[in-house]
Amino acid sequence: VDSLPLNDVRVEASLIDGVLDAKSISVADMVGVSASLSGAVTGLKGAGGRAPDPKLKDVVLDAKSKNLAALFRTLEIESPVSPAALGPTALTARLNGSMRALDVDADLQTVGGKGALQGKVQTDGLLPRFDGRLALSHPDLSRLARALGSDYRPRAAKGGIDVSGKLSGSAVDLTLSDIAGTIAGVRLQGGVGLSLLGRKPRVTAQIATGDIDVEAFLPQKRTAAIDAWPRVLPAAFVVPLAGAPGNPMRHEAAARWSSDAIDIGFLSRFDSVIAVKSDSIKYGGIAVANADVDAEVKDGGLTLRRFVGKMWGGDLTIDGTVRPDAHGLRFETRYALGGADVGAAERAFGG
């Protein structure tokens, strides 16, 4: 970018003996963005042969825009989210401290939601590191998904996101711990992590939740699923990959599932270990209480290392794998259910 057009620039500031005192610096229009800055910067002048050591004191930045499209276009910013989808955006940031250890207190409003970040940025290491708190909220989960470029519309899940946690790490190794809040009415707590230090991104999660109704979160229109959904899973069966001809298990399923084959190619892009404990997980007429799930994504496949819980008064245990092979997708499943109420099971399946 050769130049950035600025309209109605106003400056009320002084620079005396290495101290910048900005009463008010404002720009009424910077390609659709208005901004103002106030506060002080000390240490701009070195003393006794020492290099300058700038320190910010009560520096406040305010920026607002009704539409960031013009700014993105001018700065040639390529964003995975359309700037128009961001909607009205406002940022307020309060900064204190040195460039090596900067205290940040920021509030952001965008995509119809709010974010808050409070903590310290330290730059004395190889990469800048942040330690502090993060809070995110949005009133509508499906509307947020659409704003971020997804066509996800849950069947029945209502409500938004309201979560907070402790954020720490760098741009290549980040963790969000002490998570507490709700997503579409489901209580959750725990922690997640993202590492970009290996040959693939690695995601880890340990989450505890309230009751989960799986059907409520399923998309209104299926985009990829098994051609048939057997009521009892065999120990192993094969489903062709997306685009492969001739699924021998396919039959009419009253439009309950899409006729498209499963495509799990996206699993090859990352590795993951996820542990979830839920008060209950419900799907249709089946409910598993005290559900404990431990799963791993590795080398393009999914391993369900453990799924235990209470179902129909008995003890349920499931483990298995889903991975591609030369013929398509191979499912291997082991399951056991002991001490269950057979009558309750029959009623759940319409028997």
Side-chain angles (χ1 to χ4, degrees):
V1 179
D2 296 329
S3 62
L4 194 62
L6 305 176
N7 296 314
D8 193 7
V9 178
R10 301 186 181 188
V11 178
E12 183 182 353
S14 63
L15 177 60
I16 302 174
D17 198 24
V19 177
L20 173 63
D21 186 7
K23 302 297 184 184
S24 176
I25 301 175
S26 64
V27 179
D29 182 18
M30 180 178 62
V31 285
V33 178
S34 62
S36 65
L37 181 71
S38 63
V41 182
T42 64
L44 293 174
K45 178 181 178 181
R50 294 191 301 269
D53 184 18
K55 291 184 175 63
L56 280 62
K57 182 178 180 181
D58 298 328
V59 172
V60 178
L61 169 67
D62 279 301
K64 298 179 181 179
S65 176
K66 294 182 179 179
N67 191 327
L68 289 170
L71 180 67
F72 279 40
R73 193 164 51 247
T74 301
L75 298 180
E76 300 178 347
I77 297 175
E78 295 184 5
S79 170
V81 180
S82 166
L86 297 176
T89 297
L91 170 68
T92 298
R94 292 162 288 276
L95 309 173
N96 283 279
S98 71
M99 296 297 101
R100 296 187 303 276
L102 186 63
D103 291 323
V104 177
D105 186 351
D107 294 292
L108 176 67
Q109 298 182 41
T110 190
V111 294
K114 297 179 181 180
L117 190 67
Q118 297 175 323
K120 186 182 293 291
V121 178
Q122 295 177 304
T123 61
D124 51 357
L126 183 62
L127 291 173
R129 176 183 175 85
F130 179 82
D131 288 284
R133 300 286 302 180
L134 172 69
L136 299 171
S137 64
H138 195 284
D140 191 310
L141 176 63
S142 60
R143 194 172 48 167
L144 174 62
R146 291 195 298 274
L148 297 178
S150 170
D151 62 356
Y152 173 66
R153 289 174 173 80
R155 292 183 181 180
K158 303 294 183 183
I161 295 176
D162 187 1
V163 296
S164 63
K166 180 182 178 182
L167 183 67
S168 60
S170 69
V172 296
D173 192 12
L174 203 59
T175 61
L176 182 62
S177 58
D178 295 333
I179 296 174
T182 60
I183 295 180
V186 177
R187 171 184 52 81
L188 77 157
Q189 61 187 46
V192 297
L194 171 65
S195 175
L196 304 178
L197 297 175
R199 63 184 184 91
K200 291 182 182 180
R202 180 174 174 81
V203 179
T204 58
Q206 289 186 317
I207 300 294
T209 80
D211 300 321
I212 298 177
D213 184 346
V214 175
E215 281 193 306
F217 284 91
L218 291 177
Q220 294 179 8
K221 181 180 180 181
R222 299 294 180 97
T223 58
I226 304 173
D227 291 3
W229 184 255
R231 285 190 173 184
V232 179
L233 291 175
F237 60 87
V238 176
V239 178
L241 291 169
N247 184 348
M249 294 190 61
R250 180 177 175 182
H251 65 75
E252 296 299 323
R256 182 180 178 185
W257 298 91
S258 165
S259 60
D260 297 334
I262 287 180
D263 182 0
I264 64 168
F266 70 96
L267 294 180
S268 65
R269 301 172 190 165
F270 65 95
D271 292 334
S272 180
V273 175
I274 297 176
V276 178
K277 292 185 178 181
S278 297
D279 291 346
S280 71
I281 297 177
K282 178 183 177 183
Y283 181 79
I286 301 174
V288 179
N290 300 324
D292 185 350
V293 182
D294 187 337
E296 180 180 24
V297 174
K298 189 175 183 180
D299 299 329
L302 171 65
T303 300
L304 181 61
R305 302 193 292 199
R306 181 182 70 249
F307 186 158
V308 298
K310 290 286 187 178
M311 186 168 71
W312 302 318
D315 296 315
L316 173 69
T317 301
I318 303 176
D319 60 46
T321 61
V322 182
R323 63 181 61 255
D325 64 16
H327 305 288
L329 291 182
R330 183 171 184 83
F331 289 67
E332 296 183 358
T333 308
R334 295 184 302 176
Y335 51 89
L337 179 61
D341 183 339
V342 176
E346 289 180 345
R347 288 191 295 272
F349 285 113

